[in-house]
Amino acid sequence: MITKMNHTSIFVLDQDSAYDFYVNKLGFKVNTDAQMGPKGRWLTVNPPEQPDLEITLMAIDDKMMFDKSSAAKMSELVAAGTFGFGTFLCDDMLATYEELKAKGVHFKKEPAHEFYGFSAVFQDDSGNWFSLSERPK
Amino acid sequence: MPDQEFPKLYLYRRIVQAKLFIDAHSAERIDATDIADEACYSKYHFIRTFRDIYGKTPHQYLTAVRVDKAKALLETGMPVTEVCLSVGFDSLGSFTGLFKRRTGVTPSTFQRERLARRQRMDKAPLSFVPGCFAALYSGRENSNTREAT
């Protein structure tokens, strides 16, 4: 029986820039930052209240997961904002929105009360988008 | 976002600015009055609104930021006393006690454990990577763009 998810991946165009985005803008914690020799860098972060979920900031290149042609296609799709990788929760939507805006985060959809809850959509520095939802009070 | 839709948005902006002020000035001698001034609030109203939004008083939040920054500096190998002063604590005793209450270990134990983990990560990075990815990194498997046979 599967019990929980402990690793998931977000494909990023540049790991240094993604590090800055996820750590300094979103406030995530670095879990693992390991140099893997010629195969690149294994970089994972945790959402602040989820120390047992590692999100891998996976470089899109031809060193490990992709061949050259797939990496080029993937980079193009990510940069075009094709992929939504999940939903993040916050305790207070308006405060979180204001803070992320102040830090330069781009919102594709500003906060609104929808039939499914109070939510917004923002993009990371690569173009991946995420829903942001307020935890029900 | 139209401010008309969320008429209290300007209040959130002030509280968020205060939080960002704490983030940026946590190593300095700041207190709730400085922070309330930054947010253009009366001290009492500010503390209550801040706690409603963040679940902590400004002082509790300031302490949490200092502990977080201390953790980051300890991981670099900086001496504990230097870390204590760098993040805004006045005395090593109060820093050590507070750090232990928050994290369950003393700063020096935390540092020893994190540096040892860093050393393991440098020596055997594959042990920090889950199975299938470790196989890709080790070169035992090709990229996942090739189908399994």
Side-chain angles (χ1 to χ4, degrees):
Chain A
M1 184 177 75
I2 292 172
T3 53
K4 57 164 69 174
M5 176 180 272
N6 67 352
H7 281 82
T8 186
S9 300
I10 295 170
F11 295 97
V12 301
L13 300 177
D14 180 293
Q15 283 179 312
D16 287 336
S17 170
Y19 182 108
D20 180 59
F21 183 86
Y22 284 90
V23 175
N24 298 326
K25 290 193 165 70
L26 298 194
F28 287 16
K29 311 285 183 199
V30 177
N31 182 300
T32 303
D33 189 355
Q35 289 300 330
M36 311 300 293
K39 293 276 186 177
R41 174 185 183 191
W42 180 257
L43 174 62
T44 75
V45 293
N46 303 119
E49 292 183 17
Q50 273 184 299
D52 59 352
L53 173 63
E54 289 184 62
I55 298 175
T56 308
L57 303 177
M58 190 76 79
I60 306 172
D61 55 31
D62 60 356
K63 292 178 184 166
M64 193 189 66
M65 287 192 75
F66 301 106
D67 57 27
K68 206 167 186 171
S69 154
S70 305
K73 285 179 200 156
M74 188 68 181
S75 294
E76 198 178 321
L77 288 168
V78 166
T82 308
F83 300 113
F85 275 110
T87 299
F88 291 121
L89 278 180
C90 63
D91 287 329
D92 192 300
M93 172 64 76
L94 293 180
T96 306
Y97 167 77
E98 281 298 326
E99 177 169 347
L100 295 182
K101 284 283 277 190
K103 290 178 173 176
V105 174
H106 172 65
F107 277 77
K108 267 170 81 87
K109 177 178 171 295
E110 298 192 322
H113 290 284
E114 306 288 359
F115 68 92
Y116 46 81
F118 196 11
S119 80
V121 177
F122 70 88
Q123 277 183 298
D124 74 5
D125 57 306
S126 293
N128 303 303
W129 55 267
F130 300 89
S131 285
L132 177 66
S133 288
E134 186 173 89
R135 201 193 309 256
K137 289 177 178 164
Chain B
M1 178 168 51
D3 283 25
Q4 306 90 289
E5 199 179 336
F6 299 106
K8 289 192 173 169
L9 197 58
Y10 77 98
L11 293 176
Y12 277 90
R13 264 183 210 132
R14 288 201 217 157
I15 295 293
V16 167
Q17 284 311 315
K19 177 192 178 282
L20 295 174
F21 178 83
I22 297 174
D23 290 341
H25 298 274
S26 61
E28 299 166 24
R29 284 179 176 273
I30 50 173
D31 62 22
T33 308
D34 297 325
I35 305 163
D37 286 349
E38 181 68 21
C40 307
Y41 265 96
S42 74
K43 186 175 166 183
Y44 172 74
H45 188 205
F46 168 68
I47 291 174
R48 198 183 55 187
T49 312
F50 192 99
R51 193 183 53 213
D52 286 347
I53 291 176
Y54 293 111
K56 294 182 175 78
T57 65
H59 181 71
Q60 288 167 336
Y61 178 71
L62 171 64
T63 304
V65 170
R66 285 175 172 168
V67 169
D68 264 359
K69 289 188 176 176
K71 284 179 173 176
L73 290 177
L74 289 166
E75 290 200 31
T76 68
M78 183 187 274
V80 173
T81 310
E82 206 177 316
V83 171
C84 161
L85 299 173
S86 298
V87 300
F89 289 100
D90 289 330
S91 87
L92 190 58
S94 61
F95 169 58
T96 302
L98 199 139
F99 190 95
K100 188 169 180 188
R101 279 200 301 282
R102 297 282 172 129
T103 66
V105 290
T106 63
S108 50
T109 302
F110 176 86
Q111 183 169 58
R112 201 170 46 248
E113 289 172 357
R114 298 303 291 183
L115 290 178
R117 183 176 188 268
R118 179 74 252 174
Q119 218 168 21
R120 288 198 307 276
M121 201 182 289
D122 291 342
K123 253 186 172 169
L126 278 178
S127 63
F128 289 82
V129 178
C132 54
F133 293 106
L136 286 172
Y137 274 123
S138 69
R140 285 182 205 144
E141 286 180 18
N142 291 318
S143 76
N144 68 350
T145 53
R146 180 179 296 181
E147 284 187 32
T149 50

